[in-house]
Amino acid sequence: MSTSAQEIEHLISQEYKQGFVTELEVDTFPPGLDEDVIRRLSKVKNEPEFMLEYRLKAFRHWQTMPSPDWAQLKIDPIDYQAISYYSAPKSKKEGPKSLDEVDPQLLDTYKKLGIPLDEQERLAGIAVDAVFDSVSVATTFKGKLKDAGVIFCPISEALQEYPELVKQYLGSVVPTGDNFFAALNSAVFTDGSFVYIPKGVRCPMELSTYFRINAANTGQFERTLIIADEGSHVSYLEGCTAPMRDENQLHAAVVELVALDNAQIKYSTVQNWYPGDKDGKGGIYNFVTKRAECRGRNSKVSWTQVETGSAITWKYPSCVLLGDDSVGEFYSVALTNNLQQADTGTKMIHIGKNTRSTIVSKGISAGRAQNTYRGLVKVAKSAENARNHTQCDSLLVGDKCGAHTFPYVEVKQPTAQVEHEATTSKISEDQLFFCQQRGLSAEDAVSMIVNGFCKEVFKELPMEFAVEAQALLGISLEGAVG
Amino acid sequence: MLSIKNLHVTINDKPILKGLTLDINPGEVHAIMGPNGAGKSTLSHVLSGKAGYTVTEGSVTYNGKDLLELAPEIRAREGVFLAFQYPVEIPGVSNIYLLKAALNAMRKHQGLPEVDAMDFLTIVKSKVKLLQMDEKFLYRAVNEGFSGGEKKRNEILQAAILEPKLCILDETDSGLDIDALRIVSEGVNSLRNAERSFLMITHYQRLLDYIKPDVVHVLADGKIVKSGGPELALELEERGYSWLEGQAA
C-alpha cells in the first residue's frame, strides 16, 4: 500500500548520472610502480630536482609501511603494481596557454558535468581548476586573480613558476611518511591545485577544483596546497566524479592547508565519486589525507564536506591548532547507500592557548551500507583554555545498514573543556507515512527528512554548493526506501 | 463522495473491521464514536493508505474512484486529508517548507502551476491568522518541541492550506485541554463548507459540543452498530457503549 516493490526496483536502477567515459587519445604509463616509474613521472612533468628527491624519499618510506587496517572497513587487497600512475590527454603535452587551446572534447566533458569552463558561461565569482586524470586541463579566471595577487594554478605549474614557495610548504603539514596513503601520494602525485593568498588579501572569488577520473585502471593521486598568508581570506570548493567501471579505482589525495596569523580558509567538498553498483561492484576507493595547520595566531580553518560517492571512503580532514586563539571547524555529511562504506571524521589537535574547535558530523546509512564516524580531539598540555564541542548524529534508513561512532578524546590540560554529544535515529514509517499523507512521494519524503537532518551542515556550504548538495543527497538516496 | 461498502480489514490475519458500511455526502460532518479497540483508528488508516492493513472484502469508492487502489500520496493529492492522532516530528524541516512542498505536490497533481514563495507566504499568513497561531510556528521544525495542543493546531493549519475534500480527524481532541479544544474546534468549523466533508473519530462527546455533526455512528467490534443524529452522542455519554455491543445497525 505504501511504496510498491516495483517502484523501489525502478528507483534502484537509476543510473549514476556522471558515469560516462570520454574517448580521448591519452598518454598512459603501463601499470606498475618502482623508482624508474617515479623518475619518469618527474621527468615528464619537468620537475625541479628537489621534487624527485622528495618523491623517492616518500616511495622508499612507503615500501616499508603496512596498509592501515584499523578502520571499520572491508577492503579487498589492492595490487599497486596493477595500477597505472600517469594518464593524461595527449593534446595536453605542452599545456594549453588559454581555454581556446583546450581540447573541445574535454570542454564538453566538463560541460556535461555541469562545470562549463568557458568564462562567459561560468557563474561569475567562481574560478575553476579542472583536473582530468593525472593533469590539470584548464584553470579559469587566472588573470583576474593575478590582479589581486592571488596565485591559483595547477601544482605542476607552481613547481615551474614558484618552486621556492612550493618547496617551503609542500609536506610541511602532511610529511611524506605520515601514513601509508599519504606516502604513496607523495611519491606519485601528478597534479592538483596550488593556491597562495598574499598578506591581507581577501580572495575576490570562490576558488574551486573539479576532479574527474576518466581513464581505466589508473589511480588519481592529486595534491592540493593552499597557503593563506597573514590576514588573508579564501573560500575553496572541490567536486569529484568518475565513470562507472566494474573495477575499483584508487583515489589517494593529499590536501595541505596553511593559515598564518589572522588568516581564514574555508574548504568545502562535495564528493560524488562513482559509488559502485547496487551489488557493490566497482566504485572508487577514496583514501584521502586532508590536514590544515592553523599556524598563526587567531587563524581559522573550516572544513565542510558532503560525501555521497565512493565505494569506500577513508578520510579525516583535520586541524592542527598551533597558533594561540586559532579555530578549527569540521562540518560533515556522509551518506552511504547500497554496499558503500565510509569511515570518516576529523582530528582536532589543540596546541595553542585558547584554541577552539567545533565538530558537527551527520552520518546517513541506507541499503546495506556501513557508516562510521571516527574523531580525535587532542588537547596538549600547552593548550590552556582549549574548547571543543562535538556533535555526532547518525540516521538509519531501513534495517540492513549500520552506523558506528568512535570518538577519541585525549586531554592533557586541566583547563580544557571538551563536550561530546551523539544521537542515532531512524527514519520511521510514521514519518514517511505522514509526508505521503501530505501528498509527497516516498522518495521526496526521505530526501526531505534527510535534508532536514543535514541542515546544520548545509548552512555552512557556499550557496550554490548547498543547492547542489541537497540535489545530490536526493539522487544518492534513490532506491533507499523500502 | 465517500462510499464504504461491507469493508473487512485484517492486521496480521486478525480481523479488525468486519463489514463496515458508511456513506458520506459532500458537506456532511460524520462522527464515529466507539469503545477502545473497535477499529476507529484502523478505519482512518485504511482510508488514508497506511501500510500494514489488508482489505479482505468490500470496497471504498471516493468521488467515483476505487480509493483502495490509490497510493497514499495520490489519495492525499485527490483531497483525502488525515489529521493525525499523534503527529510526528521531523527535525530540521521547517513547517513552512513542508507546507509549500505539500501544496505544490497537490497543485502539480491538479495540473496547476506551483505557487511562488511570495504568493505562498500570503496564503499561509492568512490561514495562520484564521487559526490564531503565531507566525513563528511556520519557521519551527515540523512538530519539534510542540505542545500537544500546538501539534493538533498545526494539523488543522495543514488542512486549511491543502483544502482537502475529505478531512479525517483521528481523535483530534485527545490530549487537549479545554482552551486548546475550543481553538482547534473553531479552526475546524472555519473549514466547513458545502463541499467539504468530515469524518471525526472521537471517544468523547465533548468534541461534538464544539463541532456539530450531521450524523453520529457507533463503531463496535468492527461494524457500525448504530447511527443517528447528534442526540445519539449524548445518549452514549450517559449510557456508555455496552448496551450497543453485539447489536447490528
Side-chain angles (χ1 to χ4, degrees):
Chain A
M1 269 172 132
S2 64
T3 321
S4 70
Q6 249 181 342
E7 203 176 325
I8 293 164
E9 214 37 49
H10 168 73
L11 291 171
I12 286 174
S13 61
Q14 289 259 352
E15 290 201 353
Y16 176 73
K17 292 183 176 69
Q18 293 84 3
F20 62 90
V21 179
T22 309
E23 298 294 342
L24 279 174
E25 265 198 87
V26 290
D27 273 328
T28 303
F29 282 11
L33 181 59
D34 56 27
E35 293 199 4
D36 284 344
V37 169
I38 291 168
R39 285 198 173 88
R40 224 180 118 198
L41 185 73
S42 191
K43 198 168 170 209
V44 170
K45 302 194 88 76
N46 191 29
E47 290 178 347
E49 185 61 24
F50 82 88
M51 264 320 297
L52 179 60
E53 290 307 316
Y54 179 92
R55 289 178 183 280
L56 290 172
K57 189 180 144 207
F59 179 66
R60 286 166 196 150
H61 195 130
W62 176 72
Q63 284 176 305
T64 67
M65 300 172 91
S67 189
D69 60 358
W70 42 261
Q72 181 87 1
L73 299 170
K74 270 188 212 133
I75 309 172
D76 289 333
I78 300 166
D79 181 357
Y80 292 94
Q81 296 304 333
I83 297 171
S84 165
Y85 289 83
Y86 182 80
S87 177
K90 236 178 192 149
S91 56
K92 175 63 177 71
K93 251 184 178 162
E94 297 303 316
K97 298 286 172 288
S98 74
L99 283 172
D100 306 338
E101 296 173 61
V102 177
D103 186 337
Q105 239 188 311
L106 281 173
L107 293 180
D108 269 0
T109 300
Y110 282 93
K111 206 168 180 174
K112 247 166 115 175
L113 295 168
I115 320 284
L117 298 174
D118 183 331
E119 289 185 11
Q120 312 300 317
E121 291 180 34
R122 214 33 226 166
L123 290 159
I126 302 184
V128 182
D129 183 18
V131 176
F132 192 86
D133 289 331
S134 304
V135 292
S136 168
V137 292
T139 310
T140 63
F141 291 112
K142 260 175 159 172
K144 191 175 174 196
L145 290 167
K146 213 167 178 181
D147 292 344
V150 171
I151 302 171
F152 177 46
C153 67
I155 199 158
S156 54
E157 191 179 313
L159 275 163
Q160 308 295 325
E161 309 277 332
Y162 317 98
E164 289 309 311
L165 209 49
V166 178
K167 195 177 174 182
Q168 187 186 344
Y169 288 102
L170 186 74
S172 72
V173 182
V174 179
T176 51
D178 187 81
N179 67 69
F180 184 81
F181 296 110
L184 178 63
N185 175 283
S186 299
V188 302
F189 78 82
T190 44
D191 223 332
S193 299
F194 176 81
V195 176
Y196 174 78
I197 316 289
K199 271 184 200 175
V201 169
R202 186 177 276 271
C203 189
M205 53 176 64
E206 305 259 2
L207 305 182
S208 73
T209 303
Y210 195 90
F211 295 101
R212 173 77 176 167
I213 296 179
N214 186 60
N217 303 317
T218 58
Q220 190 176 54
F221 304 93
E222 95 264 356
R223 186 91 185 190
T224 297
L225 176 57
I226 300 177
I227 302 139
D229 213 326
E230 291 171 23
S232 69
H233 282 239
V234 63
S235 170
Y236 178 92
L237 328 165
E238 66 172 355
C240 335
T241 58
M244 294 159 64
R245 296 189 189 279
D246 287 345
E247 301 79 33
N248 295 110
Q249 279 184 284
L250 179 62
H251 171 256
V254 171
V255 174
E256 297 178 279
L257 312 183
V258 179
L260 301 181
D261 285 359
N262 301 307
Q264 290 192 14
I265 302 175
K266 185 175 173 64
Y267 192 106
S268 312
T269 304
V270 172
Q271 184 264 108
N272 184 28
W273 294 119
Y274 176 54
D277 70 9
K278 64 178 170 30
D279 300 317
K281 198 169 185 195
I284 302 290
Y285 287 170
N286 189 36
F287 301 158
V288 173
T289 305
K290 288 183 165 172
R291 194 174 304 153
E293 251 181 44
C294 287
R295 254 175 228 180
R297 283 184 59 92
N298 199 34
S299 56
K300 178 177 172 182
V301 169
S302 181
W303 298 101
T304 306
Q305 60 170 21
V306 176
E307 304 277 321
T308 61
S310 298
I312 305 178
T313 295
W314 177 97
K315 175 179 166 187
Y316 316 90
S318 306
C319 295
V320 181
L321 303 170
L322 275 171
D324 291 347
D325 303 301
S326 61
V327 175
E329 293 175 339
F330 175 75
Y331 300 97
S332 169
V333 166
L335 183 150
T336 49
N337 193 4
N338 296 321
L339 282 166
Q340 281 178 278
Q341 308 176 65
D343 191 307
T344 184
T346 184
K347 290 187 275 187
M348 293 291 174
I349 316 289
H350 293 255
I351 296 169
K353 292 185 183 112
N354 307 315
T355 46
R356 283 166 291 148
S357 64
T358 303
I359 299 171
V360 178
S361 164
K362 304 276 179 177
I364 301 132
S365 231
R368 286 173 286 164
Q370 297 294 327
N371 201 320
T372 299
Y373 168 80
R374 187 182 303 276
L376 168 68
V377 176
K378 193 170 178 171
V379 180
K381 208 165 168 30
S382 52
E384 284 168 32
N385 299 314
R387 294 198 60 168
N388 160 267
H389 181 82
T390 299
Q391 188 193 328
C392 182
D393 300 323
S394 305
L395 183 69
L396 300 170
V397 184
D399 53 10
K400 294 185 187 72
C401 51
H404 316 270
T405 306
F406 299 95
Y408 305 83
V409 177
E410 285 175 37
V411 179
K412 298 210 166 67
Q413 166 54 245
T415 60
Q417 283 185 42
V418 176
E419 297 162 11
H420 184 94
E421 280 180 48
T423 65
T424 302
S425 54
K426 216 179 137 177
I427 292 189
S428 69
E429 280 177 22
D430 286 346
Q431 280 175 324
L432 267 183
F433 178 61
F434 174 81
C435 294
Q436 286 177 285
Q437 218 302 307
R438 295 300 177 257
L440 304 179
S441 66
E443 78 184 273
D444 286 347
V446 169
S447 174
M448 186 177 79
I449 294 165
V450 169
N451 270 302
F453 175 74
C454 300
K455 200 176 192 176
E456 276 172 277
V457 173
F458 286 168
K459 70 175 204 270
E460 297 297 326
L461 284 172
M463 187 61 178
E464 289 151 41
F465 247 38
V467 174
E468 192 185 322
Q470 287 191 21
L472 197 54
L473 273 197
I475 292 164
S476 303
L477 275 167
E478 277 176 0
V481 193
Chain B
M1 63 123 50
L2 182 75
S3 177
I4 305 174
K5 292 215 162 25
N6 191 30
L7 187 65
H8 287 71
V9 174
T10 61
I11 306 176
N12 298 327
D13 295 330
K14 188 177 173 234
I16 306 290
L17 295 183
K18 304 167 187 172
L20 185 142
T21 296
L22 177 66
D23 282 285
I24 300 179
N25 294 315
E28 285 182 354
V29 177
H30 288 235
I32 294 203
M33 303 182 72
N36 290 326
K40 298 191 301 292
S41 283
T42 297
L43 177 61
S44 72
H45 289 157
V46 169
L47 291 179
S48 53
K50 191 172 179 173
Y53 299 87
T54 311
V55 176
T56 54
E57 218 185 312
S59 66
V60 181
T61 312
Y62 168 75
N63 284 336
K65 290 186 178 125
D66 180 355
L67 188 68
L68 302 175
E69 281 294 301
L70 305 177
E73 62 268 32
I74 305 299
R75 298 182 196 193
R77 293 172 199 166
E78 290 276 334
V80 176
F81 182 94
L82 171 63
F84 285 79
Q85 183 180 3
Y86 304 108
V88 293
E89 300 184 1
I90 309 179
V93 176
S94 69
N95 238 338
I96 192 161
Y97 183 90
L98 171 77
L99 287 168
K100 185 157 177 261
L103 181 62
N104 279 331
M106 309 263 165
R107 291 181 62 95
K108 209 171 151 192
H109 184 73
Q110 292 156 10
L112 298 169
E114 298 196 347
V115 284
D116 67 34
M118 287 314 291
D119 291 346
F120 181 69
L121 211 57
T122 313
I123 299 171
V124 171
K125 284 192 173 169
S126 69
K127 304 291 182 187
V128 164
K129 214 167 166 185
L130 191 74
L131 292 168
Q132 304 172 42
M133 290 168 74
D134 190 332
E135 275 182 26
K136 280 185 201 145
F137 254 101
L138 295 170
Y139 302 99
R140 284 168 62 183
V142 178
N143 294 325
E144 203 181 30
F146 285 27
S147 71
E150 286 172 334
K151 282 183 183 173
K152 295 294 172 79
R153 233 191 295 179
N154 201 26
E155 293 290 290
I156 304 305
L157 173 66
Q158 289 162 34
I161 286 161
L162 300 177
E163 302 191 320
K165 299 192 181 86
L166 173 66
C167 203
I168 304 164
L169 308 175
D170 191 359
E171 301 203 17
T172 291
D173 52 335
S174 70
L176 294 186
D177 61 35
I178 200 74
D179 289 331
L181 179 65
R182 184 179 48 78
I183 294 167
V184 167
S185 303
E186 281 169 9
V188 172
N189 284 328
S190 73
L191 296 179
R192 290 177 73 160
N193 66 30
E195 281 82 46
R196 186 169 296 139
S197 309
F198 288 82
L199 182 61
M200 280 194 291
I201 289 167
T202 182
H203 271 297
Y204 302 107
Q205 197 273 331
R206 62 170 193 176
L207 178 67
L208 309 185
D209 289 340
Y210 293 95
I211 307 171
K212 237 176 151 30
D214 298 304
V215 190
V216 175
H217 307 274
V218 179
L219 179 62
D221 194 28
K223 274 186 250 178
I224 305 278
V225 293
K226 196 167 178 64
S227 302
E231 71 287 347
L232 177 58
L234 292 169
E235 196 175 353
L236 290 169
E237 190 79 351
E238 222 167 89
R239 298 176 62 183
Y241 293 113
S242 53
W243 61 284
L244 286 168
E245 278 171 18
Q247 284 190 28

